């Protein structure tokens, strides 16, 4: 289970200590040429320097959110009806059409899963435990869940639209034992969603065609239970602000749909409103999965944000509980293409000539089939820790209309 990867985070250890697991990059993956400018390299260096400063020193001022091309918050609040959401049945995994359906569903960056092993009773109990966390006095929140990025309790003092949130490991650990904290259901929900999420990664890798590092070594990923609280019903337009509750890169994210409720998802094309089936899981495909698939998977920027319009209590409808399957900080992120499908950038001309010969009917047809499966690497390798730190503290999704992954794309791929 991927939960074993998180034992290194129990009791909030120093995340800048010695590294453990090797980065999830196949040794056979050829190095891609760097295409970033000197200014981008300088920015990376500055980011690494700043986030290693002692805690007593302040972090750089967060960039003020700017309006993206799609004006996501206004378009979300004015949407007349939620968008259609594709459905994948968890119990159909052995059916012939399952992977075709999964491939189609994952082409938009999100889908819902039905027939999964999570019970409504467990989800409701975990939600009650989550609400109890927000009812704690501020000093108790900070005592039990001290900040140790990315874990702990945090609230946005600069923008109250982003609310407050807790980030726990998959065992829902806290820094001190207390009889006032009951986290048993949250822990069970996290571990069950983690299992489902790892299966989703395996199924998507088979449907899309990329290596799955989780299959052979579960410690290549780690999970974060992200519990955020937005605005209540009367302020529900504020609750659709993308990024409410913080940003963090992930492979896949899962959220259980307890009641009829709308969620805002920030896709690459703009904000999308969805209303998944009650009892289903919303599966969000993250930026790391997009890189792993070499750009074939579409992604969602950040987690689903509850719009506060649910058929239930105002406080409960503003809660979003998501399980993010992410990476250990020491990881390196890169496309995980199968070695036989990689086209080296120095082989571009040869590959084009082979394709032309195939079109003219020259050469072996089976070789042509193999050539069609080959592709150029579209992203250069990058440090997950640097990317995650910038995404979280600089609010990259809101501070710029550009895709945060653009700086790592190979433009001539």
């Amino acid at each position: 289970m991927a939960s074993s990867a998180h034992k290194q985070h129990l009791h909030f250890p120093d995340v800048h200590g010695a590294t453990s697991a090797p980065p999830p990059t196949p040794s056979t993956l050829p190095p891609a040429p760097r295409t970033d400018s000197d200014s981008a390299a300088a920015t990376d260096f500055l980011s690494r320097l700043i986030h290693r400063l002692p805690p007593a020193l302040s972090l750089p001022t967060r960039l003020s959110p700017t309006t993206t091309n799609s004006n996501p918050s206004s378009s979300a609040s004015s949407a007349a009806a939620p968008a259609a959401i594709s459905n994948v049945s968890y119990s159909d995994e052995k059916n012939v059409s399952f992977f075709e359906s999964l491939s189609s569903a994952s082409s938009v960056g999100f889908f819902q899963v039905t027939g999964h092993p999570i019970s409504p009773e467990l989800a409701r109990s975990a939600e009650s435990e989550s609400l109890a966390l927000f009812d704690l006095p501020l000093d108790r929140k900070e005592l039990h869940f001290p900040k140790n990025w990315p874990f702990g309790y945090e609230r946005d003092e600069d923008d109250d639209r982003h609310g407050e949130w807790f980030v726990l490991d998959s065992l829902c650990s806290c820094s001190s034992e207390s009889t006032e904290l009951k986290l048993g259901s949250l822990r069970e929900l996290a571990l069950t969603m983690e299992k489902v999420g790892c299966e989703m990664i395996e199924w998507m890798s088979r449907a899309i065609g990329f290596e799955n590092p989780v299959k052979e070594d579960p410690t290549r990923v780690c999970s974060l239970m992200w519990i955020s609280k937005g605005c209540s019903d009367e302020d529900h337009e504020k609750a659709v602000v993308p990024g409410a509750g913080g940003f963090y890169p992930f492979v896949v994210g899962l959220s259980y749909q307890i009641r009829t409720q709308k969620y805002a998802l920030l896709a690459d094309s703009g904000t999308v409103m969805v209303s998944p089936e009650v009892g289903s899981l919303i599966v969000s495909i993250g930026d790391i999965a997009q890189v792993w698939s070499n750009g074939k998977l579409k992604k969602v920027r950040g987690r689903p944000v509850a719009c506060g319009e649910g058929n239930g209590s105002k406080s409960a409808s503003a809660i979003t509980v998501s399980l993010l399957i992410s990476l250990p900080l020491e990881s390196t992120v890169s496309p995980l293409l199968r070695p036989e499908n990689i086209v080296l950038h120095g082989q571009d001309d040869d590959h084009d000539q082979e394709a032309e010969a195939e079109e003219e009917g020259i050469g072996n047809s089976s070789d042509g089939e193999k050539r069609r499966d080959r592709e150029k690497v579209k992203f250069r390798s990058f440090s997950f820790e640097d990317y995650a730190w910038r995404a979280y503290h600089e609010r990259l999704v809101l501070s710029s209309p550009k895709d945060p992954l653009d700086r790592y794309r190979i433009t001539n791929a």
Side-chain angles (χ1 to χ4, degrees):
M1 280 298 299
S3 60
S4 61
H6 244 303
K7 292 180 180 177
Q8 60 184 304
H9 295 302
L10 300 185
H11 307 296
F12 310 100
D14 181 2
V15 296
H16 301 298
T19 60
S20 54
T25 307
S27 58
T28 52
L29 188 64
R34 293 180 62 88
T35 59
D36 53 320
S37 63
D38 291 341
S39 61
T43 301
D44 284 341
F45 172 77
L46 184 58
S47 291
R48 289 193 299 270
L49 177 63
I50 292 175
H51 84 273
R52 296 178 192 278
L53 291 174
L57 299 181
S58 60
L59 292 167
T61 303
R62 289 175 177 168
L63 299 177
S64 300
T66 58
T67 303
T68 63
N69 294 336
S70 57
N71 195 9
S73 58
S74 62
S75 63
S77 59
S78 61
I85 182 169
S86 300
N87 182 75
V88 173
S89 177
Y90 187 84
S91 58
D92 288 347
E93 186 262 333
K94 295 183 179 180
N95 292 349
V96 176
S97 60
F98 174 80
F99 290 99
E100 182 178 343
S101 300
L102 181 62
S103 177
S104 175
S106 59
S107 64
V108 295
F110 58 90
F111 53 93
Q112 71 176 18
V113 176
T114 55
H116 53 76
I118 300 172
S119 69
E121 294 76 19
L122 175 61
R124 293 192 191 97
S125 179
E127 182 184 68
S128 296
E129 292 179 355
S130 300
L131 288 169
L133 293 180
F134 290 104
D135 289 339
L136 291 172
L138 178 60
D139 62 332
R140 306 301 291 176
K141 294 174 182 176
E142 295 177 340
L143 172 65
H144 294 309
F145 305 98
K147 291 182 183 179
N148 192 358
W149 180 78
F151 299 99
Y153 167 76
E154 190 162 350
R155 58 195 177 103
D156 195 323
E157 299 177 356
D158 300 326
D159 190 342
D160 60 4
R161 296 178 302 169
H162 294 145
E164 53 183 335
W165 60 95
F166 295 86
V167 182
L168 314 179
D169 59 31
S170 59
L171 296 179
C172 297
S173 308
C174 60
S175 64
S176 59
E177 295 295 332
S178 172
T179 56
E180 65 183 327
L181 295 179
K182 298 184 182 300
L183 304 176
S185 295
L186 264 175
R187 185 177 299 112
E188 183 180 351
L189 178 65
L191 293 174
T192 307
M193 286 204 295
E194 183 181 65
K195 180 178 182 295
V196 174
C198 287
E199 290 177 327
M200 288 294 134
I201 295 173
E202 168 62 15
W203 293 342
M204 285 193 297
S205 71
R206 291 161 61 185
I208 303 300
F210 61 91
E211 297 279 349
N212 176 19
V214 187
K215 185 176 182 179
E216 300 299 330
D217 185 3
T219 63
R220 293 291 185 91
V221 295
C222 63
S223 300
L224 298 85
M225 196 62 164
W226 209 288
I227 309 166
S228 59
K229 184 178 182 181
C231 303
S232 58
D233 277 350
E234 60 267 24
D235 292 325
H236 72 267
E237 289 191 3
K238 293 182 180 180
V240 302
V241 174
F247 291 105
Y248 198 77
F250 60 94
V251 184
V252 294
L254 298 92
S255 303
Y256 186 91
Q257 184 78 347
I258 293 181
R259 58 186 60 83
T260 301
Q261 186 169 23
K262 290 182 181 180
Y263 286 84
L265 295 166
L266 183 57
D268 285 337
S269 58
T271 300
V272 180
M273 300 291 290
V274 297
S275 184
E277 180 182 329
V278 172
S280 67
L281 282 173
I282 310 174
V283 177
S284 306
I285 300 173
D287 36 8
I288 304 305
Q290 186 174 61
V291 175
W292 281 2
S293 70
N294 202 36
K296 290 192 285 291
L297 285 172
K298 299 296 183 181
K299 71 173 181 296
V300 168
R301 305 185 192 183
R303 299 160 295 99
V305 178
C307 298
E309 299 177 304
N311 295 330
S313 67
K314 292 182 178 181
S315 58
S317 62
I319 289 283
T320 303
V321 180
S322 300
L323 190 282
L324 304 183
I325 296 184
S326 190
L327 302 179
L329 288 174
E330 67 271 13
S331 302
T332 297
V333 185
S334 66
L336 300 183
L337 301 175
R338 296 188 173 99
E340 65 272 15
N341 292 344
I342 297 173
V343 176
L344 297 176
H345 285 266
Q347 297 175 338
D348 289 353
D349 294 338
D350 293 340
H351 182 263
D352 293 340
Q353 291 174 4
E354 290 173 352
E356 292 176 2
E358 180 189 342
E359 291 176 358
E360 296 173 1
I362 304 174
N364 187 287
S365 60
S366 63
D367 291 340
E369 293 282 345
K370 295 178 180 178
R371 281 193 292 272
R372 280 195 294 273
D373 291 335
R374 299 175 68 189
E375 55 186 305
K376 301 174 186 177
V377 176
K378 296 181 180 179
F379 294 89
R380 64 178 178 86
S381 301
F382 57 91
S383 163
F384 175 76
E385 182 177 2
D386 289 345
Y387 176 65
W389 190 90
R390 293 182 65 248
Y392 186 90
H393 291 100
E394 298 177 12
R395 296 285 171 82
L396 295 182
V397 177
L398 288 180
S399 63
S400 172
K402 294 183 179 180
D403 185 343
L405 288 176
D406 283 349
R407 66 190 287 115
Y408 308 110
R409 295 183 189 274
I410 299 174
T411 55
N412 62 345

